[in-house]
Amino acid sequence: MHRFLLLIHVACFALWMGAVAASLLVVRTFEPRLTTGDGDVTADAALLRAYIRREVKFVDVVFAGVLISGIVLAQLYTGWTPWVLTKVGLFIGQFVATMAYIQVFIRPLTYPCPPILYRRWYGLFAVSLGFFAVTLAVVFLAR
């Protein structure tokens, strides 16, 4: 059971990180179409929003999987060590930082927008991928 929970935990974390990386590629692909006004900007913006809505639903599920499997692992096998509490804090910190960044910088965007404003998307990915990097460093180096 321990290995199964650990597999779920690691798989959900990897899926979460992969979804963020995939979203980065999608946002990068749409950049020329949403910053120049060429083509059907309304349709492209709607397509980007539809993708992001689906990605958010997926990430909600795998984020819950990471937290639930981590809590069960801590409760049944590893205990609530400072390392486990740090990891939980990083996951929650990433969630809060991401949601705050989206609320302040991404939601106000309208398309087409200048490239300087569109780059806010990359700040969002920097926050998320930065937290992933710190979490992985804690998991592999601080243990």
Side-chain angles (χ1 to χ4, degrees), residues 31-45:
E31 182 176 8
R33 294 158 57 174
L34 293 175
T35 58
T36 62
D38 295 341
D40 190 356
V41 175
T42 305
D44 291 340

Side-chain angles (χ1 to χ4, degrees), residues 30 33-34 40-53 109-112 121:
F30 275 107
R33 294 158 57 174
L34 293 175
D40 190 356
V41 175
T42 305
D44 291 340
L47 188 58
L48 177 61
R49 285 186 189 98
Y51 173 82
I52 295 298
R53 272 193 306 276
L109 289 178
T110 57
Y111 303 103
W121 278 104

